[in-house]
Amino acid sequence: MLESDPPSAPDVDDGARAAQAAAEVDELLDLAVGELGGGRRDGQHAMAQAVADALRTGEHLLVQAGTGTGKSLGYLVPAVRHAVQTDERVIVSTATLALQRQVLTRDLPMVTTALASRLPRSARIALLKGWHNYLCVHKVAGGYPADEQGTLFDVPERPGAAEHPPVAEDGDGDTARETLGEQVVRAREWAEDTSTGDRDDLVPGVSDRAWRQVSVTAMECLGGVCPMLAECFPEAARARAREADVVVTNHAMLGIAASGSPGVLPEHQVVIVDEAHELADRVTAQATAELSLPTIEQAARLARRHGGIPTTDLDTAAQHLASVIVPLPEGRFPRGLPSDVQLAVAAVRDAARTLLTALKPEAGTRDDGGRKMAASAMLVLFEVAERMAADPEQNASTVLWCARGEDRRGVPTTRLHAAPLAVAGLVRTHLLTGRTAVLTSATLTLGGSFDPAARSVGLALRPDAAPVGPAELATPDGSGVTPPGADVARPAAAAVVEPARWRGLDVGSPFDYPRQGICYVARRLPPPGREPATDAQLDEIATLVEAAGGRTLGLFTSRRAATVAAEAMRERLDVPVLLQGDDQLPTLVARFAADEPTCLFGTLSLWQGVDVPGPACRLVIVDRIPFPRPDDPVRSARSDAVAAAGGNGFMSVAATHAALLLAQGAGRLVRTGEDRGVVAVLDPRLATARYGEFLQRSMPPFWRTTDRDVVLAALRRLRGSD
């Protein structure tokens, strides 16, 4: 267990209170688990005790709770008890909609019911999402103009940011394609019946473009002057949150708060972050901005249409910007934007500032929906351009890069992006300071240490913290590893201000990993190269899948590799092979779980969150160590910053990224105490490279081997016994 500077010696009364609280939490957890019909789990009780102690002392807690621990109840029971007894509001944040639903619709109501008779009153609970997740009754009633082009406020396609399916499904599970107009009509019909206005309650769902026609962002909202304020769904959700003891939200909302908008969350004294290993990446994604010709043109179009003002200067600036960025190579600008691009962005900024002034309502008048939409779009444009046009010396903490893609119409588009070099300071300042934080995940340690996770959220290390890796890989402050998202522009000693008190606790897992699983590293294979899959890899996959009788989850580091492997196995083997992209992911996972011989191959979405217990998944294949792409602009910038500070950029960024994904991917194998199987890594570097031990220590402690014959025999025995 790692912890910050040891607390001062407790007095007798404090010790008595701690003992009383421990006994009470133990009893309450037993009540809650009994309500579910479950049994006692020592790790769950250890977690609940640690959470209760953190809430009592104000010390931050990082707790790793392996699969099967029951971590949701492990933090919800002490959280509900604390919130009701002290009248201190608790925020609970999850990274995925699936876990959010589980917490809100099953775990939290059950805990409040089980504990109600033992607490002074029943706990009040509420759900809080971003503004755009709720229906706008004023817009549906015609208060805002239709906007089929989309705006700067469209929800960005970021990893994990949007989990809503792009198409609807009928009752038989077959994909039913709808036109945009049909989806909008269905959403408007639903608006007449819904009591929540919550997008997730619209089943089947609709695309982001369709949802855009019935929702607004917080910036577009008319606020207190809206004629339908009394019926406003997002405002009602916020009112409930302000009265609740426990508020369930998501990492995207924490990202908004961390970016400098703390008012998006109600006042609270405690924040519990589940799936905390994803927090730094979610905050980074939320703080990433984009500038392109289509976004500028859309803001100008809204200003002309709804503001009635000419946009000549902005139009000219937009065309000039396009002329200088289109020839740019893709990639990062390590020394800031080229001078001609910086000047072009500054011209966009200046033109947007002028239009923003012109769009302000005159004294004594009120914005209508269209004008507010135009002003809000122009404000976002101005803020993005101002951020990108800043002087490079003053903008050293921002990563800038150029990327190409296609818009909704398939037209090639060049975009400029800006992201923070580090988010640890943002998280610490806006989310943790003045509060008690509990961060939990099944994969919170890297290389056996909590230090990387603590650094990623801005918590200081102990001065005597031991290095994680070999001495030659240690960073200057002796921490060994600096995680993605940490403050890496300077040595950690310079970044630490008033060290925060925290401790780390690994409560383990109820599973016997060495007896339930094998980690096989295919040391005999050549190291992977540029090709998506070598012949030797494909031969290895075929041999392993055949021995397992199908029942394989294939985790690949690129879509191309997954496609090549799936097509090859379909030709070679007599088992069904599903490929991510053939259908919606939930449908594919359901088919994989329902038919034992079936295999499922895919990329990043399958590495986390897939839960298929039982004989349907006896083999998990990892094609190669999941290092980030070397041209990833944010991670490469962070790696360079670590190197500039005298550390090892590869270990600090690439290796920690790979360790986290390997831990998540390997965790797909054992989901219950009865599961058995093999995790096969087809990358010999896991066994031969000096960073391999660090990566393996981040994975579940399976029995390790490089002997293929032993693994094939084990898979055949499993196949015969199921």
Side-chain angles (χ1 to χ4, degrees):
M1 180 187 302
L2 296 176
E3 57 185 334
S4 58
D5 295 338
S8 56
D11 57 33
V12 176
D13 289 341
D14 187 59
R17 285 194 296 269
Q20 180 181 355
E24 186 176 336
V25 168
D26 243 9
E27 185 178 355
L28 293 177
L29 182 57
D30 283 337
L31 282 174
V33 171
E35 188 81 12
L36 275 178
R40 183 183 177 92
R41 285 171 277 192
D42 292 340
Q44 187 181 56
H45 277 262
M47 178 179 180
Q49 297 284 2
V51 172
D53 193 50
L55 300 186
R56 182 178 59 84
T57 64
E59 183 179 56
H60 300 307
L61 174 68
L62 282 69
V63 55
Q64 178 164 284
T67 305
T69 302
K71 60 182 169 65
S72 295
L73 295 191
Y75 63 72
L76 286 176
V77 167
V80 168
R81 170 184 174 272
H82 178 83
V84 171
Q85 290 186 344
T86 66
D87 288 323
E88 291 188 352
R89 184 173 297 110
V90 176
I91 298 287
V92 175
S93 179
T94 70
T96 62
L97 286 177
L99 181 56
Q100 186 180 71
R101 292 189 196 102
Q102 176 188 317
V103 169
L104 188 75
T105 64
R106 190 194 71 171
D107 295 348
L108 190 49
M110 184 273 300
V111 167
T112 58
T113 299
L115 273 54
S117 63
R118 307 301 298 272
L119 296 176
R121 57 177 173 79
S122 294
R124 301 180 297 265
I125 62 178
L127 170 67
L128 187 62
K129 300 181 181 180
W131 214 269
H132 64 270
N133 287 285
Y134 298 95
L135 181 85
C136 174
V137 291
H138 186 42
K139 187 166 189 174
V140 171
Y144 285 76
D147 177 27
E148 296 195 6
Q149 296 295 322
T151 73
L152 292 173
F153 302 108
D154 285 338
V155 181
E157 293 297 329
R158 296 172 180 146
E163 300 180 36
H164 301 283
V167 293
E169 288 186 274
D170 63 25
D172 296 326
D174 296 328
T175 301
R177 301 286 178 179
E178 291 180 303
T179 66
L180 177 64
E182 289 170 336
Q183 292 184 37
V184 173
V185 168
R186 185 158 55 81
R188 288 179 173 275
E189 291 174 346
W190 169 77
E192 298 177 3
D193 301 321
T194 179
S195 60
T196 65
D198 187 335
R199 180 178 180 178
D200 288 331
D201 293 340
L202 173 57
V203 180
V206 297
S207 66
D208 288 343
R209 288 190 67 193
W211 185 251
R212 178 78 186 100
Q213 307 308 311
V214 296
S215 66
V216 298
T217 66
M219 292 186 68
E220 295 172 312
C221 177
L222 297 179
V225 301
C226 177
M228 304 187 74
L229 183 64
E231 303 169 58
C232 178
F233 287 118
E235 186 54 49
R238 274 144 186 79
R240 289 191 294 270
R242 289 191 292 268
E243 298 298 322
D245 298 297
V246 180
V247 178
V248 180
T249 188
N250 54 61
H251 290 5
M253 292 289 284
L254 294 190
I256 296 172
S259 298
S261 300
V264 301
L265 299 173
E267 287 294 325
H268 58 284
Q269 293 74 41
V270 176
V271 58
I272 297 177
V273 184
D274 203 341
E275 302 171 309
H277 63 277
E278 294 196 38
L279 181 60
D281 280 346
R282 295 299 180 93
V283 173
T284 300
Q286 197 65 47
T288 299
E290 172 193 307
L291 184 65
S292 67
L293 179 61
T295 59
I296 301 171
E297 289 179 335
Q298 178 64 8
R301 184 163 45 246
L302 290 172
R304 292 192 300 270
R305 182 186 305 165
H306 306 304
I309 56 177
T311 60
T312 306
D313 288 347
L314 183 58
D315 298 337
T316 301
Q319 293 303 319
H320 178 57
L321 178 65
S323 70
V324 296
I325 67 173
V326 167
L328 290 175
E330 285 192 281
R332 180 166 59 97
F333 304 112
R335 298 176 183 83
L337 293 177
S339 58
D340 58 337
V341 178
Q342 185 183 10
L343 289 173
V345 173
V348 172
R349 174 201 62 198
D350 295 342
R353 179 193 290 117
T354 300
L355 291 171
L356 190 58
T357 301
L359 285 168
K360 289 183 179 179
E362 297 179 3
T365 64
R366 294 179 178 178
D367 270 344
D368 59 15
R371 193 178 184 92
K372 182 66 182 290
M373 183 187 297
S376 299
M378 198 61 63
L379 176 60
V380 172
L381 177 61
F382 167 72
E383 291 179 340
V384 171
E386 184 177 48
R387 178 178 173 188
M388 292 185 177
D391 183 88
E393 292 186 4
Q394 300 175 348
N395 214 18
S397 61
T398 299
V399 183
L400 297 164
W401 72 95
C402 176
R404 289 189 173 81
E406 295 181 346
D407 62 17
R408 292 191 180 92
R409 298 165 295 175
V411 178
T413 303
T414 301
R415 298 179 173 90
L416 297 178
H417 295 268
L421 175 63
V423 298
L426 295 175
V427 173
R428 175 173 173 145
T429 300
H430 296 295
L431 297 183
L432 305 186
T433 299
R435 301 183 178 96
T436 301
V438 174
L439 296 95
T440 183
S441 169
T443 51
L444 207 54
T445 61
L446 294 177
S449 170
F450 282 98
D451 290 348
R455 292 278 303 277
S456 74
V457 295
L459 297 177
L461 292 173
R462 293 189 317 172
D464 60 338
V468 175
E472 64 271 19
L473 298 179
T475 46
D477 65 341
S479 66
V481 173
T482 301
D487 286 323
V488 295
R490 56 195 181 280
V496 174
V497 178
E498 296 182 1
R501 295 175 57 81
W502 68 276
R503 66 174 178 132
L505 172 68
D506 185 350
V507 300
S509 169
F511 304 148
D512 189 348
Y513 283 113
R515 290 183 177 273
Q516 291 185 244
I518 297 173
C519 178
Y520 163 59
V521 181
R523 185 168 183 161
R524 52 182 291 277
L525 294 181
R530 292 183 176 274
E531 66 273 28
T534 64
D535 290 340
Q537 273 188 324
L538 294 177
D539 290 342
E540 191 84 356
I541 292 172
T543 302
L544 290 166
V545 172
E546 188 173 28
R551 308 190 297 176
T552 300
L553 179 65
L555 305 178
F556 295 84
T557 52
S558 72
R559 183 172 297 277
R560 189 175 169 212
T563 301
V564 168
E567 291 176 349
M569 295 309 107
R570 286 167 176 170
E571 292 179 1
R572 297 188 187 196
L573 303 176
D574 190 24
V575 295
V577 178
L578 305 176
L579 176 62
Q580 184 179 353
D582 289 346
D583 204 332
Q584 294 187 87
L585 195 56
T587 303
L588 292 174
V589 173
R591 290 172 59 187
F592 172 57
D595 182 38
E596 285 188 20
T598 296
C599 302
L600 174 58
F601 289 3
T603 54
L604 189 60
S605 297
L606 298 181
W607 289 70
Q608 305 183 67
V610 174
D611 187 9
V612 181
C617 183
R618 292 303 195 204
L619 173 63
V620 174
I621 292 178
V622 176
D623 71 326
R624 64 175 72 195
I625 297 172
F627 292 122
R629 290 177 44 154
D631 59 353
D632 182 300
V634 176
R635 288 193 170 90
S636 64
R638 289 172 175 169
S639 181
D640 289 350
V642 171
N648 186 300
F650 169 77
M651 285 298 298
S652 297
V653 179
T656 54
H657 173 84
L660 177 58
L661 279 180
L662 276 175
Q664 287 285 316
R668 300 310 98 202
L669 180 69
V670 175
R671 311 302 297 175
T672 72
E674 288 71 45
D675 289 340
R676 304 287 188 275
V678 172
V679 173
V681 182
L682 309 186
D683 190 334
R685 295 175 296 177
L686 190 62
T688 61
R690 61 178 181 172
Y691 53 76
E693 182 62 26
F694 167 75
L695 298 178
Q696 290 202 46
R697 286 206 311 271
S698 303
M699 301 169 66
F702 298 121
W703 184 75
R704 302 182 193 177
T705 185
T706 59
D707 190 327
R708 185 174 73 158
D709 291 338
V710 169
V711 170
L712 295 178
L715 288 172
R716 292 184 184 115
R717 284 196 300 273
L718 278 174
R719 181 181 179 181
S721 63
D722 287 333

